[in-house]
Each structure stands twice: as C-alpha cells, then as structure tokens.
Amino acid sequence: MAKFIPVDTFDIVIFGGTGDLSRRKLLPALYHRFVDGQIPEASRIVGVSRSELSDADFRSLARDACKTSTGEDFDAKAWTQFEKLLSYACLDATKEDADWEALTSRLSDDDRPSIFYLAVTPKIYVPICQAIGKAGLAKGDARLVLEKPIGTDLESAKAINAGVGAVFSEDRIYRIDHYLGKETVQNLLVLRFGNTLFEPLWNRTAIDHIQITVAEDVGVGDRAGYYDSAGAVRDMVQNHLLQLLCLIAMEPPNSIEADEIRTEKIKVLNALRPVRSKYAGRDTVRAQYGPGTVNGEQVKGYLEELDEGESGTETFVALKAWVDNWRWSRVPFYLRTGKRMRSRHSEIVVQFREAPHAMFGEDQAHSNRLIIRLQPDEGVQLYVQIKEPGPGGLRVQSLPLNLSYAETFQVRYPDAYERLLMDVVRGNLALFMRREEVEEAWEWVDGLLEAWDDAKVPMRTYSAGLEDGPVESRMLLREDDRDWWSNGK
Ligand code: BG6
C-alpha cells in the first residue's frame, strides 16, 4: 500500500485555471491527493483566468476534468467534499487596472503558504509576477511555480529568471519539469545510489554507451501553434531529455537535499560538449513526420496539420552527445525523441561493454544491458547471459531479470504532477530546476540550433507510425556499429 503523509493547509492559485494543463493535469492531481487524504479540507484552490465564470461554472469544469481523468474510479462522494475547496476569480493579471480584489478575497488571511501556479504562456510570466508583487501577495512563505518552457532561448530564459527573481527569491521558485516527478525517474537515484551493485560499474570502463528514448505516438494536435514555434529540441530535449541525462551522468550527491542534487546536475550540463557546426550533420538528425498509420489509424503529416502548410520545425530529433569528464570520457549518449512514432515508450538503456573474452563462443553475442522503462509498464530490466536448459551442448541466451512496478507494488501510479504539487506544499525543491540549470541547458540547445542553421543540416522525413523514426536516426548508430534498443530485438 502506498502511504500518504498529509501536507499542511495551503492555498493554491492557478493562473490559466481553465486551460489545458489545469484541466488535464493540475485539477485531477489535486483531486487525487485530496481523495487519498493528503490535502487538508481547509485548503483552497482558486482558478484564475480572463473568462467570466462563476464559482459554480469553475467547479463544473473541474468536475468534468477530474471525471475524464479518473474514468470509472471517479468518486462522486469525495467530489462533494473536494469541490468545497474550489473557487474562481476572473482576472486579467497582465492589466494595470485588473481587479485583484476578486482574487485576494478568495485567499485566507492566516499564515499558510500561498502557491501561485503559472499555467500560462511564458511570455506573461514576468508581468503576472510583478502584478502579484504589487498586489502584496508575494509575502511571507508565498511560492511561485513555473511550467516549462522557461523562455525560448538563453536570452529569454535569463530575462524571465531575472524578472520573476525580482519578486520571489530563488528558494521560493519551483520550475517544473514533470519528468522529474515520474516514479521511475526518481527511482534512478535510488537505483544508482541505494545499491552497491551499479555505482562501481557506472563509468567508461564498464559502460559502452547510453540511450535515452522518449517516443510518442501522438501528433501535435491542437498545440500546433505553440509547437511550431518550439519543435522537438526546445519542447523535449532542452528539458526532459537533458534532465534524464543529468540524472544518469551525475556524480553521487552528498545527500538528497535539493541543492546537493541540483549542483551535481549543473556540473553535467557544464560538461556537455557543445555541438559544433562541423559535426552537426554527422552527429544529429532532425526530421518531420509525414502521413502514415499509427495504432491502425491513418493520420495526417505534420505539414498538413498546420494552417500554412509549410514549416522548418522538427518533430523528431536524434543526436549523439558527450559528457566531457573523467567518468564519461568516450562514452556516447544517444538521445532521441519524436512525435507520431509507432508507440508511446520512454526508456533509458545502459549498455555495458562486452565480456573481455568470449569463452562461450558466438552465442555470447550480447553484453549486459540495464533498461529503465519510464512509461508505459514502468520497471527495470537487467539483461544477463544465461545458459539455455538442456544437455545438448552449452548455449547462452541474454534474458532479463525483470522488475515490473505494477506487479511488484500493485498500486495506482500517481501522475507526476501529484508528486510535484505536494513537494511544492512541503517546500521540497529537489525535483525542481534551479535557475542555472535552465540557463545551462538553453546555452547548449542554442548552440545545437545555431549549428543546424550554420551547417544547413537537412530536414529528414519519416512516415508517421514508424518504430524508429527516420532511417537517418538508425544510421547515426549504425555508423558506430550500434543499434537502438527495440524491445525484444
Ligand atoms: C510536454 C511536451 O512537456 O511533455 C509535450 O510539451 C509532450 O509535447 C509531453 O507530449 C510528454 O509528456 P509525457 O508525460 O506524456 O511523456
């Protein structure tokens, strides 16, 4: 059974309270935590947006959102308790003459923490923060939560960080990367630093290379407007993939205190070798999906989904990265992410080197491989060489020691936002990004995008629904005599 330790009473204000993130993730996450008894009944959840809605309208929108997210498990009785926490304030927070009283009247006046969650476009992070400050709400233990992407490049990220930092001190800013809230991602820390088995081997002497894959079967859907200005590198690599790389590559932190972990992650970002124009065409692949079949359904290509019908934005990226330090010298990190691939699967593969002497002959073709599956079917597999049973000769097979979370723990898997929201209330910053992390990651990504421009790296295409995306992504590894890991192949 999962244990839920109740948090202290809090107020949370969601700017963009009627938007997509709020409906898909934030409101359901708060509902789940409430149903499990983790959120005290005196807490308040205030939705804010520009739409003219009543409290009752907002509750009904939230009810639909939570019902959609929970399906048959929706608990109508618990809902009647939960909805008492909800209220709504109509407010255009960027306007000088905005009526902040609509919001302040909904907040409590005791000394509980107020949490301001900006589920809005990053372009208005700074004006909203300034307005929060002017309304006198950034006081005491107030906290600010920012969604990624923090800006669109290093310069805009710095401007946002400086602007919000003028109102909230760094220790009260929670920059969310929801991948850090995924169970398996947190488990990476435990796997590496809670066992003696892996750490002595976790370096260039035993590891051949590392693969990080975040594949999605969905297309850009109704987010085309945002996505076309971002692309896979800004949307996924700058944050989720680099964060995973940091957790894999970092040195053991002294403790699990937020700053200890974050300092180690920043060192990895510092050690990431910039992508030079000269090698951009060789070490990276950018591509867009064309029409194809995904999960048995015929789907449009990326360009057909856009109003203009043309775009230079990548929906897939694969690249070879290097962490230039003692531990990882000459160990490539292969990263790839894409939309409209065959299935949704995210995993990290740690490929160990071959045994130095193949005494079992050809059969011993495979070396050890550790697979950390983030989704779906969260779990860990360690491939080892095993003798096939039977008296006829000695044949070796590579088979997994399999730890499936679902089978082992038999609990509902909390969404990443459930964990992260409760961490904000507890004041635990360990799973949130520090200012320098975001900026270092942008610096590297800006370099990659510039190298693409300089070297005119061609845009490849792939049919929607392909397992591995464009063929060039395969070639990237074949050039090094390696292959992407595909389950069972
Ligand atoms: C978001 C990206 O951060 O992560 C989306 O903006 C992407 O484009 C999503 O689809 C993937 O998250 P998850 O948790 O579904 O893997």
Side-chain angles (χ1 to χ4, degrees):
M1 273 297 288
K3 288 198 200 94
F4 301 111
I5 302 166
V7 294
D8 293 339
T9 305
F10 63 95
D11 287 354
I12 184 167
V13 179
I14 307 175
F15 289 89
T18 56
D20 182 62
L21 180 71
S22 175
R23 280 180 286 126
R24 274 192 315 111
K25 296 290 185 183
L26 307 180
L27 292 167
L30 291 163
Y31 163 77
H32 279 298
R33 293 301 87 234
F34 179 82
V35 172
D36 283 334
Q38 209 172 0
I39 297 183
E41 288 186 356
S43 300
R44 298 179 190 191
I45 300 167
V46 189
V48 172
S49 86
R50 288 177 303 185
S51 318
E52 294 276 352
L53 296 184
S54 64
D55 286 345
D57 294 336
F58 181 61
R59 287 185 184 131
S60 143
L61 171 152
R63 188 177 206 271
D64 289 346
C66 294
K67 254 185 124 171
T68 308
S69 144
T70 43
E72 286 178 2
D73 294 334
F74 183 74
D75 181 340
K77 201 160 153 228
W79 177 263
T80 57
Q81 295 306 312
F82 178 68
E83 70 172 1
K84 291 183 191 153
L85 277 56
L86 301 177
S87 64
Y88 180 78
C90 170
L91 171 71
D92 184 346
T94 58
K95 289 255 163 68
E96 279 289 319
D97 58 352
D99 172 19
W100 280 78
E101 176 58 21
L103 171 60
T104 46
S105 62
R106 284 169 158 76
L107 299 176
S108 60
D109 48 16
D110 57 22
D111 58 1
R112 65 178 65 178
S114 305
I115 296 165
F116 297 97
Y117 199 121
L118 306 196
V120 292
T121 164
K123 284 188 204 130
I124 54 172
Y125 283 174
V126 176
I128 294 188
C129 266
Q130 287 167 340
I132 292 173
K134 244 169 95 189
L137 296 175
K139 60 180 189 307
D141 200 9
R143 293 153 205 191
L144 176 73
V145 187
L146 299 179
E147 261 299 322
K148 64 136 268 242
I150 314 271
T152 51
D153 56 14
L154 177 59
E155 199 187 332
S156 54
K158 278 186 168 167
I160 290 175
N161 282 334
V164 300
V167 181
F168 289 88
S169 55
E170 181 65 23
D171 60 347
R172 292 193 288 135
I173 301 179
Y174 294 74
R175 296 182 189 81
I176 285 215
D177 181 317
H178 78 276
Y179 266 56
L180 296 180
K182 291 187 190 274
E183 286 289 333
T184 346
V185 175
Q186 291 162 53
N187 204 26
L188 245 174
L189 292 178
V190 181
L191 198 69
R192 281 193 62 193
F193 306 126
N195 297 293
T196 48
L197 198 61
F198 298 112
E199 203 43 30
L201 301 176
W202 208 259
N203 57 49
R204 69 187 180 288
T205 48
I207 293 180
D208 178 74
H209 74 274
I210 290 185
Q211 301 181 8
I212 302 177
T213 296
V214 178
E216 298 184 272
D217 51 2
V218 292
V220 292
D222 52 14
R223 293 169 77 226
Y226 150 74
Y227 193 88
D228 200 50
S229 65
V233 170
R234 289 192 177 91
D235 185 49
M236 299 293 286
V237 176
Q238 190 273 343
N239 34 79
H240 306 325
L241 275 87
L242 287 187
Q243 284 293 320
L244 295 177
L245 184 148
C246 284
L247 293 179
I248 289 280
M250 73 183 189
E251 295 301 312
N254 292 348
S255 72
I256 54 166
E257 286 301 309
D259 270 337
E260 299 288 347
I261 295 180
R262 300 192 311 174
T263 300
E264 294 307 334
K265 286 199 287 170
I266 289 167
K267 285 194 208 157
V268 176
L269 292 168
N270 265 321
L272 258 188
R273 187 184 302 172
V275 178
R276 310 231 313 260
S277 314
K278 200 161 122 191
Y279 301 122
R282 186 193 70 185
D283 290 350
T284 71
V285 177
R286 59 202 292 237
Q288 259 175 12
Y289 60 82
T293 310
V294 181
N295 300 324
E297 197 191 314
Q298 183 64 31
V299 299
K300 288 183 184 167
Y302 180 64
L303 296 180
E304 295 163 84
E305 286 182 289
L306 301 178
D307 292 339
E308 300 82 39
E310 60 181 74
S311 164
T313 301
E314 76 290 348
T315 61
F316 175 97
V317 56
L319 55 90
K320 177 157 67 167
W322 301 94
V323 177
D324 283 333
N325 63 18
W326 192 279
R327 185 188 283 261
W328 295 114
S329 176
R330 300 201 185 90
V331 178
F333 286 73
Y334 298 102
L335 273 49
R336 65 174 168 168
T337 181
K339 301 229 179 261
R340 283 287 190 230
M341 296 176 69
R342 183 188 292 175
S343 58
R344 176 179 188 247
H345 71 276
S346 304
E347 62 200 2
I348 299 169
V349 177
V350 180
Q351 176 65 60
F352 290 90
R353 290 187 186 283
E354 283 176 14
H357 173 52
M359 71 166 88
F360 301 109
E362 294 266 303
D363 261 359
Q364 195 190 336
H366 301 283
S367 27
N368 299 114
R369 178 183 286 141
L370 177 70
I371 296 175
I372 300 149
R373 223 174 25 243
L374 311 185
Q375 58 200 23
D377 310 327
E378 291 87 344
V380 179
Q381 293 180 317
L382 178 63
Y383 277 77
V384 292
Q385 318 308 316
I386 295 287
K387 179 195 165 299
E388 246 181 58
L394 199 151
R395 284 181 304 276
V396 177
Q397 272 198 38
S398 183
L399 289 174
L401 302 174
N402 206 346
L403 176 83
S404 149
Y405 283 20
E407 280 170 29
T408 309
F409 296 108
Q410 301 185 346
V411 289
R412 180 187 81 83
Y413 255 73
D415 185 75
Y417 280 91
E418 296 180 40
R419 162 74 193 230
L420 294 173
L421 282 167
M422 293 302 94
D423 275 2
V424 177
V425 181
R426 286 192 203 96
N428 183 357
L429 281 154
L431 298 177
F432 299 84
M433 294 176 291
R434 203 160 75 191
R435 174 180 184 159
E436 303 95 300
E437 264 176 270
V438 173
E439 294 178 6
E440 285 286 345
W442 272 123
E443 193 170 343
W444 189 80
V445 156
D446 281 358
L448 165 64
L449 294 172
E450 271 166 39
W452 276 0
D453 271 356
D454 279 359
K456 304 205 172 17
V457 172
M459 181 69 74
R460 313 289 185 182
T461 50
Y462 57 103
S463 303
L466 281 190
E467 169 90 27
D468 282 332
V471 66
E472 289 79 7
S473 157
R474 221 157 177 203
M475 297 311 295
L476 179 73
L477 269 73
R478 287 306 308 147
E479 292 284 319
D480 296 344
D481 214 11
R482 297 178 174 119
D483 279 310
W484 290 108
W485 160 253
S486 301
N487 208 3
K489 282 194 236 148

